[in-house]
């Protein structure tokens, strides 16, 4: 190592290690086979980032550092351990809220430090222009992310679902921005402590209100997109905190998170054929709550596991399409058992995974990984769609909107143009659902009335277990 390098240069070089781990970890998260290693690399990178930052700071009160680490680790561990496979989006929303709250608290802490410092002079005069602006941005973005994430999680849990139409919302949102700019200017430039404190409180309240106004109209079907966007915004809040603190690691890490979250948001919008402005406009998923389909079905054929097993006994190619209903019923192991049973009979079995099946990208991959479904059986939408025409049987488990042919045919449909799994091209389709209830888009599923579609009504886990039992009881292939 060059002996002429100072402590600052050494710290900057050391920061490259966790940044590299972040980049490689995110890259490996893109593939199911390497996702676990990618997650581990990200965790190690975060730990190294904390260690390098503490070393760079030099003299710090490690008692509070240890207390913070213990509290944060405990909250994170308990949150994840209590979370089910169906609540992963809620967990992501909660962690986004934590990131936003941390950024907002950093802004408040810097303001407090500037005010109470013996040589601070008046208010935030001791901070430079860049630091002052970064403080205001960190506080605003952090508060918006926090309140928006709290509301997003509440709506995902089914609470405040009716909070979709706020009279004069656009005007109110514009007013928060118009009032926020002078409030931020007063907070960082006032020469009176009380005036600066009042302006900062006003700025905080306006930012919290803006977060609520932005998320309130977003429907259940669009909420995963909003959570992804909030994840990106939380990264920007962290980067702003880095500028305010003069910490290079926060700037680099926050920028990476912000960019990755924005790319994921674009991918999700493309997978749903939705524009970001349309997501903010809201409505999709709230016009008809799940379980309350507005349109009746005229021609639906139902069957039972015994008849379905007889069809599967002569099938040579089967595709299983998992959806949110599979995760809600915790039927992933039953689906894996059915796939293994069919494979033992010489059937080619694959799982077709839609990019936004469930609640978020990768949701179904995580659910199926819990049942140790082999990676080679997981096929993405683009690769599987061209094979449905040569598929004997497709078993749809709990999916709805992502297999609805209305996306291709009905121009006025909320899901018009959305890329779907074209399961209706298969020779036979079996749909496992509790009822004919609508999906999150709140519309009728035309697939259910197709001549090649059969409904298997009941709990997904029970139906799949019955299919396995019937297959094992039949004549061996």
């Amino acid at each position: 190592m060059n002996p002429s390098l100072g402590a600052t240069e050494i710290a900057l070089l050391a920061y490259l290690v966790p940044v590299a781990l972040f980049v490689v970890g995110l890259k490996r998260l893109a593939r199911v086979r390497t996702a676990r290693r990618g997650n581990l690399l990200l965790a190690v990178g975060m730990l190294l980032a904390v260690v390098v930052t503490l070393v760079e700071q030099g003299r710090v009160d490690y008692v509070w550092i240890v207390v913070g680490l213990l509290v944060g680790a405990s909250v994170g561990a308990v949150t994840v351990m209590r979370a089910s496979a169906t609540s992963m989006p809620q967990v992501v929303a909660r962690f986004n809220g934590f990131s936003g709250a941390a950024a907002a608290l950093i802004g408040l802490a810097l303001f407090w430090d500037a005010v109470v410092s013996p040589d601070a002079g008046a208010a935030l005069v001791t901070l430079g222009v860049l630091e002052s602006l970064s403080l205001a941005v960190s506080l605003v973005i952090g508060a918006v992310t926090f309140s928006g994430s709290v509301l997003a999680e509440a709506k995902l849990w089914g609470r405040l679902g009716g909070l979709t139409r706020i009279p004069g919302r656009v005007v109110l949102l514009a007013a928060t921005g118009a009032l926020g700019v002078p409030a931020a200017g007063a907070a960082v430039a006032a020469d009176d402590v009380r005036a600066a404190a009042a302006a900062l409180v006003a700025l905080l309240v306006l930012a919290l209100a803006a977060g609520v106004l932005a998320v309130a109209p977003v429907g259940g079907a669009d909420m995963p997109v909003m959570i992804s966007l909030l994840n990106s915004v939380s990264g920007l809040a962290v980067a702003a905190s880095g500028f305010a603190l003069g910490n290079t690691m926060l700037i680099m890490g926050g920028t990476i998170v912000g960019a990755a979250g924005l790319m994921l948001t674009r991918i999700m919008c493309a997978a749903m054929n939705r524009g970001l402005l349309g997501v903010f406009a809201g409505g999709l998923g709230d016009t008809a709550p799940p379980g309350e389909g507005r349109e009746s079905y005229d021609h639906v054929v139902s069957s039972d596991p015994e008849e379905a097993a007889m069809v599967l006994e002569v099938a040579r190619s089967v595709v299983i399409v998992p959806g949110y209903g599979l995760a809600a019923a915790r039927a992933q192991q039953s689906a894996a058992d059915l796939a293994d049973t069919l494979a033992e009979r010489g059937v080619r079995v694959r799982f077709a995974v839609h990019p936004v099946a469930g609640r978020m990208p990768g949701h179904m991959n995580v659910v199926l990984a819990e049942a140790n479904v082999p990676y080679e059986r997981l096929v993405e939408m683009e690769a599987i769609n061209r094979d449905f025409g040569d598929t004997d049987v497709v078993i749809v488990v709990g999916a709805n909107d992502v297999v609805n042919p209305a996306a291709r045919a009905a121009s006025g449909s909320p899901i018009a143009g959305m890329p779907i799994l074209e399961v209706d091209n298969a020779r036979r389709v079996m749909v496992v659902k509790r009822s004919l209830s609508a999906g999150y888009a709140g519309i009728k599923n035309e697939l259910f009335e197709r001549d090649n579609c059969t409904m298997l009504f009941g709990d997904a886990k029970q139906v799949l277990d019955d299919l396995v039992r019937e297959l094992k009881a039949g004549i061996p292939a």
Side-chain angles (χ1 to χ4, degrees), residues 195-219:
L200 197 72
V201 171
L203 182 63
L204 179 62
V205 172
L206 289 170
L208 292 172
V212 172
L213 291 170
V215 176
V218 179

Side-chain angles (χ1 to χ4, degrees), residues 282-441:
L284 183 58
D286 286 322
T287 55
E292 298 183 11
R294 294 174 296 165
E295 302 172 83
S296 61
Y297 291 86
D298 299 323
H299 176 68
V300 173
V301 177
S302 62
S303 183
D304 57 42
E306 182 179 3
E307 294 178 354
M310 294 174 64
V311 175
L312 291 173
E313 284 177 353
V314 297
R316 295 292 89 192
S317 175
V318 174
V319 174
I320 301 175
V321 179
Y324 181 75
L326 179 141
R330 299 201 60 80
Q332 56 266 43
Q333 187 59 58
S334 299
D337 292 342
L338 176 60
D340 291 339
T341 302
L342 290 170
E344 290 172 1
R345 301 176 62 88
V347 180
R348 185 189 185 193
V349 185
R350 290 172 293 172
F351 287 82
V353 181
H354 192 278
V356 292
R359 290 288 186 87
M360 296 194 74
H363 194 180
M364 288 300 102
N365 299 89
V366 173
V367 171
L368 295 175
E370 289 184 341
N372 295 316
V373 174
Y375 298 133
E376 56 270 16
R377 285 185 181 171
L378 305 182
V379 187
E380 295 181 352
M381 178 179 64
E382 292 78 5
I384 198 70
N385 267 347
R386 58 176 174 264
D387 292 344
F388 280 126
D390 296 323
T391 300
D392 293 325
V393 180
V394 173
I395 304 175
V396 180
V397 188
N400 202 323
D401 297 326
V402 297
V403 296
N404 192 343
R408 295 196 308 263
S411 59
S413 169
I415 62 171
M418 184 180 83
I420 62 168
L421 291 166
E422 299 174 355
V423 301
D424 54 311
N425 291 330
R427 295 182 179 90
R428 295 291 299 173
V429 181
M430 300 177 183
V431 180
V432 181
K433 277 178 64 70
R434 289 183 178 273
S435 66
L436 292 172
S437 60
Y440 274 96

Side-chain angles (χ1 to χ4, degrees), residues 144-312:
V144 169
T145 305
F146 174 70
S147 60
S149 298
V150 170
L151 181 56
E153 182 182 358
K155 297 189 76 169
L156 283 172
W157 284 120
R159 303 158 191 161
L160 302 177
L163 184 61
T164 57
R165 294 292 180 265
I166 299 178
R169 167 179 167 267
V170 176
V171 176
L172 291 174
L173 195 56
T176 59
L179 294 175
V181 173
V188 301
D191 56 2
D192 178 75
V193 173
R194 292 184 178 179
L200 197 72
V201 171
L203 182 63
L204 179 62
V205 172
L206 289 170
L208 292 172
V212 172
L213 291 170
V215 176
V218 179
D222 283 334
M223 192 55 71
V225 179
M226 178 55 68
I227 290 176
S228 178
L229 182 62
L230 288 171
N231 181 41
S232 176
V233 173
S234 70
L236 297 179
V238 171
S241 299
F243 279 108
L245 290 172
N247 185 277
T248 306
M249 185 67 253
L250 285 177
I251 297 174
M252 292 190 293
T255 302
I256 291 174
V257 172
L262 185 59
M263 287 189 289
L264 179 59
T265 302
R266 288 176 59 86
I267 291 172
M268 294 178 67
C269 285
M272 298 173 64
N273 193 37
R274 295 279 284 167
L276 198 54
L277 291 178
V279 172
F280 275 105
L284 183 58
D286 286 322
T287 55
E292 298 183 11
R294 294 174 296 165
E295 302 172 83
S296 61
Y297 291 86
D298 299 323
H299 176 68
V300 173
V301 177
S302 62
S303 183
D304 57 42
E306 182 179 3
E307 294 178 354
M310 294 174 64
V311 175
L312 291 173

Side-chain angles (χ1 to χ4, degrees), residues 77-147:
V78 170
T79 299
V80 174
M81 290 174 63
R82 294 180 58 186
S84 63
T86 57
S87 62
M88 282 299 109
Q90 289 92 316
V91 172
V92 175
R94 186 175 303 179
F95 286 160
N96 287 345
F98 286 154
S99 298
L105 289 174
I106 287 175
L108 292 174
L110 287 176
F111 171 81
W112 177 261
D113 183 65
V115 170
V116 301
S117 176
D119 57 349
L124 305 181
V125 175
T126 53
L127 295 177
V129 175
L130 177 60
E131 291 84 354
S132 298
L133 291 176
S134 300
L135 181 155
V137 172
S138 175
L139 177 63
V140 170
I141 298 180
V144 169
T145 305
F146 174 70
S147 60

